[in-house]
Amino acid sequence: MRENYRLYRFLTEVEDVLNSSDNETNCLPEIRMLVRRLIVNSYWVQSQSLEPSSKTESSVLLLYDELGFPLTVQTVTFAPGTHSNIHNHGTWGIVAVLKGQEKNTFWRRTDSPEFQDKIEATGEITLFPGDIISFTPDAIHSVEAVGDEPTVTFNIYGETDPNERFEFDLVSHKAKNF
């Protein structure tokens, strides 16, 4: 019961931060601090994860998603060596690594005249337990679980615009909604 209170207090604090600004992206540093406080002070959050599915080598445990409330909170588990597709989220997001290691590769659209959705890699960073990263709605990335143990992350996202969430194909140079 106390852990539910912590999660709802956290969500209320995030909502207060978002409501205090006209630009959600400007709120990301303050929300990262709230995420850090939650994961450091909550064993419950640290312990909420599923084993990776043998079929997909990943799993998602939804901790909070309420119709009409623009936040989604979940933990994501990737088996070692698992790669995500190249994607954006169509909203802001914050990811905190709870266990394992996660390599993020960042991409940008090159918008060549021939291929409107052509992308190129711009950098990468490997995150370790305790590391927190935030993404703007237009950020494009892919994720790989590196190391010998599953990677578990705590993720919070704003309200996704489904018309702005894409998966990118490096071969066809096309983006499709997902």
Side-chain angles (χ1 to χ4, degrees):
M1 191 67 145
R2 182 170 177 81
E3 293 300 336
N4 282 341
Y5 171 76
R6 276 193 189 155
L7 181 60
Y8 288 110
R9 187 177 79 196
F10 164 76
L11 292 169
T12 299
E13 290 172 337
V14 170
E15 185 178 33
D16 290 346
V17 168
L18 292 169
N19 288 336
S20 71
S21 175
D22 291 337
N23 183 339
E24 292 181 339
T25 302
N26 292 339
C27 299
L28 294 177
E30 194 169 351
I31 297 172
R32 281 194 309 269
M33 288 189 330
L34 294 173
V35 167
R36 177 161 315 283
R37 187 176 70 202
L38 178 69
I39 65 172
V40 165
N41 293 319
S42 177
Y43 172 76
W44 180 81
V45 168
Q46 293 275 350
S47 66
Q48 297 304 300
S49 64
L50 300 172
E51 290 296 317
S53 159
S54 59
K55 188 174 187 176
T56 63
E57 296 187 323
S58 64
S59 65
V60 176
L61 177 60
L62 196 57
L63 300 177
Y64 182 84
D65 185 26
E66 185 177 328
L67 191 61
F69 193 70
L71 297 174
T72 300
V73 180
Q74 60 194 24
T75 58
V76 177
T77 307
F78 282 126
T82 302
H83 295 259
S84 75
N85 56 358
I86 301 170
H87 63 280
N88 71 354
H89 290 274
T91 188
W92 61 268
I94 296 178
V95 176
V97 177
L98 302 176
K99 297 176 187 166
Q101 301 171 38
E102 176 181 277
K103 182 173 78 172
N104 278 263
T105 302
F106 303 101
W107 306 82
R108 72 167 176 225
R109 283 184 158 139
T110 60
D111 289 338
S112 72
E114 189 178 2
F115 300 107
Q116 180 180 347
D117 295 316
K118 186 175 182 179
I119 58 173
E120 65 183 9
T122 61
E124 63 184 38
I125 186 171
T126 299
L127 305 172
F128 297 89
D131 288 342
I132 299 175
I133 191 169
S134 54
F135 300 97
T136 59
D138 59 344
I140 302 169
H141 74 136
S142 56
V143 174
E144 177 187 0
V146 295
D148 297 330
E149 66 178 314
T151 298
V152 179
T153 59
F154 172 88
N155 305 7
I156 180 169
Y157 300 105
E159 188 168 17
T160 299
D161 179 347
N163 295 319
E164 295 297 322
R165 184 161 195 222
F166 298 102
E167 174 181 6
F168 296 85
D169 186 317
L170 281 174
V171 176
S172 70
H173 307 296
K174 295 186 187 241
K176 66 178 181 179
N177 288 101
F178 96 110

